[in-house]
Amino acid sequence: MDLGLRDKVAIITGGSVGIGLAVAEGLAAEGANLVLVARNPDRVDAEAARIADKYGILVHGVAADVATAEGCNAVISGAQKAFGGADILINNAGTGSNETIQEATDEKWQYYWDLHVMAAVRLARGIVPQMKKRGGGVVLHNASICAVQPLWYEPIYNTTKSALMMFSKTLSTEVVGDNIRVNCINPGLILTPDWVKTARQLAGEDGYQAHLQGVADEYAAMKRFGTPEELAHFFVFLCSDKATYSTGSTYFVDGGMLKTI
Ligand code: NDP
């Protein structure tokens, strides 16, 4: 099935590991060229070179912190310089938090607001004009099931991901006339290296797999984590010409974790 992605240019923030890396590989497998963004320059450059070589496409690595205005500007100008602009923007960079409302500082709230919300705002301001010049585009936001079904131990994550979901909806209405589709994806438990690292820290080498299974048993109806690749298929579909009537929506990919309709 031709997904119509060959020679498109896709920006993926947080593209050097985990979900972002799987989405990058999914798009690369369809022939899209990539702008891969993350802070650690060694990791982003290594993955950019590996993906370019494996799929025979062009990948431009940008080492930038999208929680800052300067970092977002580096992404916008990087896409412009490397490819003359972008057709697809995947706002994926993000991370869990761990706090109580009583104890978290203003600085912590501000950091997550900048990372989960302002990055999407700033990148939309810079990339939407590029998309308009190219005749349209796709923006996807990776929020979380926590945007609507919170986990008690990360109120900042829940709140900022919820705001990202609303931003996605609002942006979609602003750009629908420009042939730009905007959607949000809310994943459930996806087994990325970060989950494994945390489980190892909490339960040790002998206990980490049982710890992860315990998390899956508690939260996911399917009683397992999803893989980054399972989730990436969904992102690739929403970027493709097979999803041309989808905009302004939020889609859950969560193994049955959501408890409401
Ligand atoms: P990982 O921690 O595995 O990867 C995060 C990626 O984002 C890395 O490439 C990291 O690279 C990059 N990154 C982090 N902060 C910044 C920053 N400030 N600027 C630029 N890049 C940054 O995360 P996951 O793959 O698990 O998660 C990806 C997204 O999916 C997140 O938004 C997360 O909230 C969401 N999600 C994840 C779920 C899961 O179960 N894994 C479930 C639901 C949602 P570097 O450190 O070099 O910057």
Side-chain angles (χ1 to χ4, degrees):
M1 185 166 43
D2 181 13
L3 296 181
L5 289 165
R6 183 154 299 280
D7 297 329
K8 298 279 187 199
V9 175
I11 300 169
I12 300 124
T13 71
S16 65
V17 69
I19 294 167
L21 180 60
V23 172
E25 291 214 46
L27 291 169
E30 296 300 323
N33 297 315
L34 307 177
V35 178
L36 211 60
V37 183
R39 290 165 303 180
N40 181 319
D42 295 342
R43 197 163 58 172
V44 85
D45 286 345
E47 288 302 339
R50 186 184 64 76
I51 294 172
D53 187 48
K54 182 171 173 188
Y55 297 97
I57 47 124
L58 301 171
V59 186
H60 179 63
V62 178
D65 181 351
V66 297
T68 67
E70 303 75 53
C72 291
N73 288 340
V75 176
I76 295 158
S77 62
Q80 184 64 44
K81 236 183 262 166
F83 297 111
D87 308 288
I88 295 165
L89 168 62
I90 316 268
N91 284 300
N92 166 75
T95 190
S97 61
N98 184 8
E99 65 279 319
T100 63
I101 294 168
Q102 291 304 304
E103 283 166 13
T105 61
D106 284 5
E107 288 71 25
K108 185 165 186 185
W109 279 95
Q110 189 61 52
Y111 177 74
Y112 278 83
W113 177 255
D114 285 337
L115 175 60
H116 290 155
V117 185
M118 288 312 296
V121 174
R122 289 167 172 148
L123 290 175
R125 257 186 335 230
I127 301 299
V128 163
Q130 295 180 358
M131 290 177 176
K132 282 188 191 175
K133 280 195 192 136
R134 297 160 82 91
V138 174
V139 182
L140 295 184
H141 297 101
N142 188 4
S144 167
I145 191 169
C146 294
V148 303
Q149 184 170 285
L151 288 169
W152 65 267
Y153 58 81
E154 48 185 1
I156 298 181
Y157 185 78
N158 302 329
T159 305
T160 51
K161 289 292 191 173
S162 201
L164 178 61
M165 195 175 139
M166 177 55 86
F167 172 73
S168 186
K169 179 69 181 168
T170 310
L171 178 65
S172 77
T173 57
E174 190 168 308
V175 298
V176 68
D178 300 308
N179 193 33
I180 299 172
R181 298 186 294 104
V182 184
N183 287 297
C184 182
I185 297 176
N186 283 350
L189 302 174
I190 305 297
L191 194 55
T192 53
D194 205 38
W195 267 106
V196 176
K197 192 175 105 194
T198 307
R200 279 201 164 103
Q201 283 164 358
L202 291 173
E205 198 53 35
D206 291 340
Y208 82 92
Q209 280 170 324
H211 173 86
L212 288 170
Q213 189 56 54
V215 173
D217 289 346
E218 183 175 354
Y219 292 112
M222 285 188 182
K223 303 211 179 303
R224 69 172 179 88
F225 279 72
T227 66
E229 291 72 26
E230 278 178 300
L231 176 58
H233 293 313
F234 211 86
F235 276 81
V236 172
F237 167 73
L238 282 179
C239 289
S240 80
D241 284 354
K242 303 296 175 197
T244 41
Y245 201 52
S246 296
T247 197
S249 288
T250 296
Y251 300 92
F252 289 80
V253 182
D254 67 1
M257 184 171 168
L258 185 68
K259 291 191 169 59
T260 58
I261 55 168

